[in-house]
Amino acid sequence: MQAAQTRVAGVPEAGGLCVLNDPRPDAFALPGGLRRSDRIVVTSGMLRALGPAEREALHAHERANLAARRHPCLSAAQLAGWCPPPWPRSP
């Protein structure tokens, strides 16, 4: 989550939506903290790839993620992916 916060640092937002100038299609919900409100982050590449109805569906999906507070589960899954297994790997 720290990498995502660093990625959007200084990028203006409007109504909780932050658009990154990046040609790669990507979108994610970024939960707020003590000093920040929740944000939905979308790249310009994602916006170009979607039509109006798809953009609305994406926005609704990310709002639902924030409302359900799924981000701790996603963070735990991402952390588990970075950690090597506790047993030796076979050659």
Side-chain angles (χ1 to χ4, degrees), residues 4 10 12-13 15 17 21 25 27-28 31 38 40 44 46-47 51 57 67 69 88 91:
E13 68 175 85
L17 180 65
N21 186 18
F28 53 92
D38 292 343
I40 295 171
S44 56
M46 178 65 90
L47 292 176
R69 292 292 192 204

Side-chain angles (χ1 to χ4, degrees), residues 34-90:
L34 296 175
R35 293 173 283 191
R36 290 195 174 116
S37 59
D38 292 343
R39 286 175 286 181
I40 295 171
V41 182
V42 182
T43 64
S44 56
M46 178 65 90
L47 292 176
R48 278 192 298 276
L50 302 176
E54 294 167 319
R55 289 181 195 154
E56 184 56 39
L58 172 72
H59 198 212
H61 172 84
E62 297 302 344
R63 281 193 315 259
N65 284 343
L66 288 170
R69 292 292 192 204
R70 286 193 199 164
H71 54 83
C73 297
L74 295 175
S75 296
Q78 186 176 28
L79 180 62
W82 290 335
C83 297
W87 56 88
R89 294 182 188 193
S90 59

